Amino acid sequence: MVSETDQPAGPMYLVPDLAAWIDAHPDLAVPVPPYRIPGGQVAGFTAPGGGAFYVFDQPDAAGE
């Protein structure tokens, strides 16, 4: 995937439900608040070592 944003590069992880994942990890900083992507949403986090990573879901794309 190629990003077209100014956000820092980092790996992306698919989860079943982004909101539930965020609720289960309150200790992680969220410098990129959740935003819509085709079929779901994504949010960016700061890893303990300082790097960026992203978590996304795509429940709306499951039936395509």
Side-chain angles (χ1 to χ4, degrees):
M1 177 182 290
V2 177
S3 177
E4 296 180 354
T5 70
D6 293 333
Q7 298 157 349
M12 296 186 75
Y13 300 97
L14 176 63
V15 297
D17 183 325
L18 179 62
W21 193 92
I22 291 171
D23 287 345
H25 298 87
D27 53 322
L28 293 175
V30 187
V32 181
Y35 63 92
R36 299 287 305 161
I37 58 172
Q41 57 184 346
V42 64
F45 300 87
T46 303
F53 70 95
Y54 299 85
V55 177
F56 72 103
D57 65 12
Q58 290 193 301
D60 299 342
E64 291 181 12

